[in-house]
Amino acid sequence: MSKYMTGELAKLCGVTVRTVQYYDTRGILVPSELSEGGRRLYSEEDAKRMKVICFLRELNLPINSIKDLLSEEHPEEVISLLLDEQEKTLAREIQERQKQLEKLLMLRQSIKRVEQFSVESIGDIAHSMENRKNLKKLRLLMVVCGAIINTIEIGTIVLWVRTGIWVPFAAGMGIVFLISILVSYFYYNNTAYICPKCHEVFRPAFRQTFFAKHTPNTRKLTCRACGYCGFCVETYKRDEE
């Protein structure tokens, strides 16, 4: 069976010699034997114990708590629970890092679309990213409503052509008109726009929004703050805006 001197054990476990000596003085890692010259000698079991101590220290457990834990009759049960908790913690950290990475990639893509990049542009992009999920849900709702409207239109037209009865079509068009107005106002009341010149978040009049030229993410509007007229970035309207 291998025997390790203090320096060898320290190197094996990635700690300093003083750390090994300190654990000895605190009584949590006593060498299994001493050499004829009085040097500490540690066994394989001591090395395993040292690795457990190092792990528990990485979990920020105090020395006294580690000593009490290792003196238990079945410390492996408690350590197993600690491992489970550490696994959950690491999984949460990985999720958080993944979210940070996704935000970073989104930021890089958004920066590429900005013609004149500035510090203010980052604020605009951050605002849009912060509200992107809500805006995506809002647009999904619009798609669903659009599908319902199309179904009503096509269904009543087919019925009219096959049966010659036009009343369902007329009634359907009334329903379509009502849904379109309600959905348009709902969308308008939940969106705002970021001016690329003064970087203010503003809400234009409904008429201007409804008839403005637009892309999937922008509309050509007149900023209420600075008077700029051009494509402004669409974002989700928060309660305070």
Side-chain angles (χ1 to χ4, degrees), residues 26-88:
R26 295 298 300 269
I28 59 174
L29 185 69
V30 180
S32 56
E33 62 180 279
L34 297 175
S35 67
E36 293 181 0
R39 293 191 174 187
R40 299 176 178 86
L41 294 176
Y42 296 91
S43 65
E44 290 285 356
E45 288 301 316
D46 294 332
K48 292 178 183 177
R49 184 181 177 92
M50 181 62 181
K51 290 178 180 178
V52 170
I53 294 169
C54 291
F55 165 73
L56 296 176
R57 286 297 292 149
E58 288 179 2
L59 298 181
N60 295 320
L61 257 66
I63 296 295
N64 290 336
S65 298
I66 294 174
K67 185 176 181 179
D68 293 339
L69 175 60
L70 293 179
S71 64
E72 289 285 325
E73 185 176 354
H74 297 289
E76 65 278 0
E77 294 178 358
V78 180
I79 293 172
S80 178
L81 289 175
L82 288 171
L83 286 170
D84 290 341
E85 289 302 312
Q86 182 71 353
E87 182 181 349
K88 292 176 184 177

Side-chain angles (χ1 to χ4, degrees), residues 125-142:
I125 294 167
H127 188 287
S128 298
M129 288 169 58
E130 189 177 316
N131 296 283
R132 184 165 294 187
K133 284 186 178 179
N134 290 328
L135 188 60
K136 188 175 181 179
K137 290 178 182 178
L138 184 61
R139 287 172 176 170
L140 180 60
L141 176 62
M142 294 291 289

